[in-house]
Amino acid sequence: MAAPALSGRAGSSGSLGNSPTMAAGRLPHGGGPELDFRSAARMEDLNRLIQEFSKHDQREYDDQRALEIHTAKDFIFSMLGMVQKLDQKLPVANEYLLLSGGVREGVVDMDLDELSVYARGTDYDMDFTLLVPALKLHDRNQPVTLDMRHSALGHSWLSLRLFDEGTINKWKDCCTIVDHINGTTNYFFSPTLVADWFYQSISLVLLEVQKKPQRGMPRVEKVERNGTIISVILGVGSSRMLYDIVPVVSFKGWPAVAQSWLMENHFWDGKITEEEVISGFYLVPACSHKGRKENEWRLSFARSEVQLKKCISSSLMQAYQACKAIIIKLLSRPKAISPYHLRSIMLWACDRLPANYLAQDDFSAHFLLGLIDDLQHCLVNKMCPNYFIPQCNMLEHLLDETAMLHARKLSSVRSDPAEHLRTTIEHAKAANRLTVELQWRGSTNNLPSPQSDAGGENQPDDRLAKKLQQLVTENPGKSISVFINPDDVTRPHFRIDDKFF
């Protein structure tokens, strides 16, 4: 079925067909540049700004950075193996899902209210989300039975009756108990109690690991409980990596509540197989607005979204990333809109609009303005359907005054998108500069990289030489200078022409 708020199938005008974005066009007889009707911004200028943001936002990894990422990932996976050995609760053969981007980036549908504020550049350089199954139900012959009687749409309680006696005994201490009149006891898997156990186990393992440090081992800079998420920041060489680790329940197959979605036509039809899209789903530890936190889980289709992302054009993804960066800053208070709402809106747009339109390389500006229009439309109507469960309105709980406050903020963006893009570009540049500065501070303090001996004497000079060589290569014909403050030799500064880094 089509989304209630964003009606219309692929190729139709839909309820947003008369938005200001659609009024953008070229002047008659080729008499001038293409303009956005609402803001009078030149589309080519907006496209250029989006491209510039993408350049600063995308992190290109050299061999050293790739090695550091691999080292951190291996450390996290080894840590989880040690957690499994503590009390044998986690499955021995487990299947993690590693996603690029932290929970704050909207890679999974979780509430952001309880999360600490971390910023790229200040707190970390790269961020990831890791879904770790505490329980698995992967028997395809067994129907996916979820107890949704006590939950809002898109949420469920999980009874351990689905599992064997051994599993129940392992997890009893992480369950809430309901005694029935007939004398039977039902154990419901508790997301909050599971998160408590997971945080304690991870903290215990990391404490033991740090008692016997090994050469090249990542530095554990932070371990923090954020609601039902465990956030770990690791330092490897000169890089800092944020891992948001989420305990989940993993299912193969497809839930009955989302069966009707499979009956509709979708933008990915013919590009990937249905088997790839419906290979499984998760329950993540997040509850509905009025749900019981100790019992309620939220359905997540993160595995399917990884597949769908393959079918989205690069120009639309660039527009989505730029729009996401704008709303993360603009709509951060009060917490009402998460980047996951924007992701759902983008997926609905893919279903609504013709594929050849979305595939145009020079239409990033159109897509950005369209996403802003759609998000504003959702706020005004307090209606944002879940892509996989369209009957589930993700903004149903939103207060009228909060919805209108955010809609007015988006209106200011829509009136001057170029200025908001420039601000977003400056934020990305500042984060990158801070990352470089902290990397140099770390390198001059002799922080070991995974492939070097700890405290190697020549490491800082080598890195400085490599950095200079890189700057010379990337900036032919420009004046390059290095300034070192004699009162703080840990902070070299580079000047290329009149710009400092």
Side-chain angles (χ1 to χ4, degrees):
M1 66 183 287
L6 310 178
S7 61
R9 302 303 302 167
S12 68
S13 60
S15 62
L16 297 176
N18 295 321
S19 68
T21 308
M22 301 304 292
R26 299 187 184 279
L27 296 179
H29 312 298
E34 186 177 7
L35 300 177
D36 169 38
F37 184 89
R38 172 71 187 280
S39 65
R42 293 162 55 114
M43 288 297 190
E44 61 182 299
D45 290 343
L46 295 180
N47 276 328
R48 177 181 53 78
L49 289 169
I50 293 170
Q51 292 294 327
E52 185 177 355
F53 169 76
S54 297
K55 180 183 71 174
H56 294 292
D57 184 58
Q58 292 173 355
R59 278 78 78 192
E60 295 185 1
Y61 306 144
D62 56 17
D63 291 344
Q64 178 64 30
R65 181 61 63 86
L67 177 62
E68 291 168 351
I69 293 172
H70 181 73
T71 301
K73 184 192 72 173
D74 279 356
F75 179 83
I76 291 290
F77 283 14
S78 297
M79 175 198 75
L80 291 172
M82 296 173 70
V83 168
Q84 193 280 329
K85 291 176 182 177
L86 278 179
D87 50 18
Q88 308 296 313
K89 273 184 162 66
L90 292 180
V92 176
N94 217 347
E95 299 177 17
Y96 308 137
L97 181 65
L98 180 61
L99 304 169
S100 178
V103 170
R104 295 159 189 78
E105 295 290 317
V107 296
V108 287
D109 181 16
M110 296 194 70
D111 302 317
L112 307 183
D113 305 39
E114 298 179 332
L115 299 189
S116 300
V117 177
Y118 298 154
R120 186 167 73 88
T122 304
D123 301 296
Y124 64 88
D125 306 311
M126 289 157 287
D127 53 335
F128 303 93
T129 298
L130 185 63
L131 304 188
V132 179
L135 288 175
K136 296 192 304 180
L137 198 62
H138 284 190
D139 184 354
R140 288 184 176 273
N141 297 320
Q142 184 172 348
V144 178
T145 307
L146 298 174
D147 188 349
M148 298 184 172
R149 295 171 299 169
H150 313 287
S151 305
L153 199 59
H155 299 78
S156 177
W157 291 23
L158 181 66
S159 171
L160 290 192
R161 287 179 177 176
L162 297 172
F163 300 88
D164 57 53
E165 195 66 29
T167 300
I168 294 174
N169 290 330
K170 282 181 187 178
W171 287 105
K172 273 183 181 179
D173 57 343
C174 292
C175 292
T176 58
I177 301 172
V178 177
D179 291 319
H180 294 281
I181 298 175
N182 61 9
T184 61
T185 299
N186 202 349
Y187 294 93
F188 287 99
F189 205 43
S190 169
T192 52
L193 293 177
V194 170
D196 287 342
W197 164 82
F198 204 33
Y199 174 67
Q200 292 166 7
S201 299
I202 287 177
S203 300
L204 181 61
V205 165
L206 290 178
L207 192 62
E208 289 300 314
V209 167
Q210 291 175 89
K211 288 179 181 177
K212 300 176 181 178
Q214 298 178 4
R215 188 173 65 187
M217 188 180 79
R219 307 177 305 278
V220 180
E221 299 192 352
K222 183 175 289 188
V223 182
E224 189 172 40
R225 168 88 179 268
N226 284 290
T228 53
I229 298 165
I230 293 84
S231 298
V232 178
I233 297 180
L234 299 177
V236 189
S238 58
S239 301
R240 298 157 303 157
M241 287 157 227
L242 166 64
Y243 271 83
D244 285 328
I245 307 175
V246 187
V248 300
V249 181
S250 176
F251 292 85
K252 285 289 177 67
W254 201 246
V257 70
Q259 283 294 331
S260 61
W261 178 79
L262 295 176
M263 303 298 107
E264 301 293 332
N265 296 322
H266 296 290
F267 72 97
W268 48 267
D269 292 338
K271 299 176 182 176
I272 53 177
T273 65
E274 186 173 286
E275 288 71 24
E276 290 176 289
V277 175
I278 64 170
S279 60
F281 67 101
Y282 297 99
L283 294 181
V284 297
C287 73
S288 59
H289 182 62
K290 294 182 179 180
R292 292 177 57 178
K293 287 187 176 182
E294 68 272 19
N295 281 342
E296 196 170 83
W297 299 78
R298 180 174 297 163
L299 274 74
S300 169
F301 301 90
R303 189 180 295 167
S304 302
E305 289 166 5
V306 170
Q307 300 298 326
L308 298 185
K309 188 177 178 181
K310 300 175 184 177
C311 306
I312 299 175
S313 69
S314 59
S315 52
L316 178 55
M317 282 304 302
Q318 286 179 347
Y320 164 75
Q321 296 292 349
C323 189
K324 182 175 71 172
I326 291 172
I327 71 165
I328 283 177
K329 297 288 185 185
L330 188 73
L331 308 184
S332 59
R333 292 288 184 272
K335 290 285 186 186
I337 295 295
S338 88
Y340 189 82
H341 293 108
L342 186 66
R343 176 181 288 218
S344 298
I345 288 170
M346 176 180 65
L347 292 173
W348 280 119
C350 290
D351 272 359
R352 187 177 71 245
L353 295 164
N356 58 353
Y357 171 78
L358 294 173
Q360 297 181 85
D361 290 336
D362 59 347
F363 263 45
S364 290
H366 297 77
F367 303 152
L368 171 70
L369 299 177
L371 288 170
I372 295 171
D373 286 339
D374 275 10
L375 183 54
Q376 190 173 20
H377 178 94
C378 289
L379 283 166
V380 169
N381 291 280
K382 288 192 357 183
M383 174 66 74
C384 183
N386 183 289
Y387 180 68
F388 300 93
I389 311 175
Q391 61 272 33
C392 175
N393 175 17
M394 297 188 291
L395 295 183
E396 185 177 24
H397 66 280
L398 203 58
L399 297 175
D400 290 346
E401 53 267 32
T402 303
M404 292 311 298
L405 172 64
H406 286 320
R408 284 194 293 270
K409 289 181 179 179
L410 282 176
S411 180
S412 71
V413 177
R414 197 59 187 80
S415 298
D416 194 355
E419 181 59 31
H420 283 83
L421 279 171
R422 292 188 193 99
T423 300
T424 302
I425 290 168
E426 290 307 311
H427 286 153
K429 285 181 177 179
N432 290 337
R433 283 196 296 268
L434 189 52
T435 292
V436 170
E437 180 181 317
L438 290 173
Q439 285 174 346
W440 279 106
R441 189 182 302 173
S443 66
T444 52
N445 283 333
N446 289 331
L447 292 178
S449 70
Q451 64 183 17
S452 66
D453 290 338
E457 290 182 3
N458 296 324
Q459 186 178 341
D461 292 337
D462 287 344
R463 292 195 174 199
L464 187 61
K466 289 178 181 177
K467 181 63 178 178
L468 280 173
Q469 183 60 49
Q470 179 185 351
L471 290 174
V472 170
T473 303
E474 293 176 351
N475 298 276
K478 294 186 178 181
S479 171
I480 300 176
S481 305
V482 180
F483 295 85
I484 298 180
N485 181 353
D487 297 323
D488 183 8
V489 294
T490 67
R491 301 179 62 185
H493 296 273
F494 300 91
R495 187 180 73 181
I496 301 178
D497 288 343
D498 60 340
K499 292 185 179 180
F500 286 84
F501 296 83

